[in-house]
Amino acid sequence: MKKYFSIFIFFIFLSAFAQDPLKEKQIKQAQEREEQERIKEVLSNDKTTDIRKVEEDKKKKDSISATVTVIDSLYREDQFYIGLTYDLLQNRPDGVSQNSFSSGVHIGFLRDFPLNKRRNIAIAVGLGYSMNDYRQNIKITEVDGKPFYEVVNENDVNFDKNKFALHYLDLPIEFRWRTSTIQSHRFWRIYTGFKLSYLLLNKSKYVQGNEKVRIFGNDDFNKLQYGAYISFGYNTWNFHAYYGLNSLFKSEAKIDGKSIDMNTLNIGLMFYIL
């Protein structure tokens, strides 16, 4: 009996050991399936991430393109300007000379209207103010309520101050050429045009010792002035020149019976500010 029992126990152990390789194989296969599933999942996630990244990059490029298009459609060189000039009197009567420094100040705004697709050619119209201070030796006084003009010989008379100042409302219109781009506002420019000016205020002042003569609103000055100008340069700094095409005075203003037919030439610098 004991012999049969020993044989039975032996077969049980043998069966147990015989089943271990099969279990190991099944476990190994299950692990391999899990690993393959994990690899597929990782690859799937990476592919989804790549697709999303490509889509996001495309959206960014489209957005940038759309932004540039909008900027281009609105691109103008609307500008404020400030000018400083030296004012020269042209066609002066005999004996008339300028002394000290005759200066001009010009400020205003110009509205830009591009004419081509590149937007580097345009016309502009504007509104501005200018003040021109002429220091010279024409003494302006009043005789019987009317302006009287005479040339002061500076060799004989040492006056302290003699000038007349003219304040204008300016209406410029100009043709523009420039090398500007959407991205940069540093460029070369040539602007040339025509300016119509309306006299708002005029005053003259003569000072010699205790003698002081001031006259406001002299009707002998022309109310309307017109002339041609040009500005050219790079970026903010630009050379500017204006030439008046009509006289500062009406024909009624005379010295020794001759009309004071003087016009002006203003030269200086023009600064453009966006």
Side-chain angles (χ1 to χ4, degrees):
M1 184 71 179
K2 185 182 287 186
K3 179 180 178 182
Y4 290 110
F5 180 76
S6 299
I7 293 171
F8 177 73
I9 294 299
F10 175 77
F11 277 109
I12 290 174
F13 277 105
L14 186 63
S15 298
F17 284 113
Q19 290 175 357
D20 284 344
L22 179 60
K23 288 183 179 180
E24 288 180 359
K25 184 177 180 180
Q26 291 175 346
I27 292 171
K28 187 175 181 181
Q29 289 176 347
Q31 290 176 343
E32 289 177 352
R33 285 196 298 270
E34 290 178 359
E35 181 67 18
Q36 289 176 356
E37 292 295 330
R38 188 181 67 81
I39 292 172
K40 288 180 180 180
E41 184 178 355
V42 170
L43 292 175
S44 177
N45 290 337
D46 289 343
K47 185 176 181 181
T48 303
T49 302
D50 291 340
I51 293 172
R52 288 177 180 174
K53 186 176 180 182
V54 170
E55 290 178 349
E56 289 177 358
D57 290 343
K58 185 175 183 300
K59 287 180 180 179
K60 287 181 181 179
K61 289 179 180 179
D62 292 342
S63 176
I64 293 171
S65 178
T67 301
V68 170
T69 301
V70 171
I71 292 173
D72 183 64
S73 66
L74 299 177
Y75 169 55
R76 299 176 186 270
E77 284 298 333
D78 296 339
Q79 293 165 111
F80 292 94
Y81 65 86
I82 300 175
L84 301 173
T85 59
Y86 175 59
D87 300 343
L88 298 166
L89 292 169
Q90 305 295 298
N91 301 315
R92 297 189 299 266
D94 293 340
V96 174
S97 63
Q98 291 185 252
N99 53 68
S100 186
F101 187 81
S102 298
S103 61
V105 178
H106 316 265
I107 59 174
F109 176 79
L110 284 157
R111 175 67 168 174
D112 191 82
F113 297 94
L115 299 177
N116 63 336
K117 185 176 180 180
R118 184 181 168 187
R119 308 179 81 83
N120 68 322
I121 297 175
I123 59 171
V125 294
L127 182 67
Y129 160 81
S130 62
M131 188 280 293
N132 298 282
D133 187 59
Y134 298 94
R135 298 173 182 266
Q136 29 65 50
N137 63 336
I138 299 177
K139 181 179 179 181
I140 305 175
T141 56
E142 286 187 333
V143 177
D144 297 329
K146 294 182 179 181
F148 179 78
Y149 307 90
E150 60 180 311
V151 177
V152 178
N153 190 329
E154 296 178 75
N155 295 324
D156 299 331
V157 179
N158 186 22
F159 55 82
D160 300 308
K161 183 180 294 186
N162 186 46
K163 67 175 185 176
F164 58 82
L166 308 175
H167 300 256
Y168 292 101
L169 177 69
D170 296 327
L171 300 171
I173 179 170
E174 64 188 30
F175 176 80
R176 296 176 155 191
W177 174 88
R178 61 208 174 211
T179 61
S180 62
T181 64
I182 302 171
Q183 293 80 12
S184 175
H185 296 291
R186 294 176 176 273
F187 54 85
W188 290 96
R189 61 162 59 83
I190 299 176
Y191 295 167
T192 183
F194 181 84
K195 183 171 70 174
L196 180 66
S197 302
Y198 179 79
L199 185 61
L200 299 173
L201 173 68
N202 71 80
K203 59 181 179 179
S204 58
K205 183 177 182 180
Y206 178 84
V207 178
Q208 180 187 343
N210 294 327
E211 182 184 5
K212 296 181 181 180
V213 181
R214 293 185 178 87
I215 299 177
F216 294 89
N218 184 348
D219 290 334
D220 282 349
F221 285 102
N222 270 318
K223 282 289 186 181
L224 289 177
Q225 286 289 308
Y226 51 88
Y229 66 88
I230 185 170
S231 298
F232 61 89
Y234 180 75
N235 197 21
T236 303
W237 296 79
N238 299 270
F239 173 80
H240 177 80
Y242 166 86
Y243 186 80
L245 298 175
N246 66 323
S247 175
L248 295 173
F249 290 89
K250 296 178 181 178
S251 59
E252 291 82 358
K254 297 179 180 181
I255 295 177
D256 296 332
K258 296 182 179 180
S259 296
I260 308 173
D261 192 21
M262 294 189 302
N263 60 326
T264 184
L265 171 64
N266 304 334
I267 56 175
L269 295 174
M270 187 66 70
F271 304 91
Y272 292 97
I273 304 169
L274 290 177

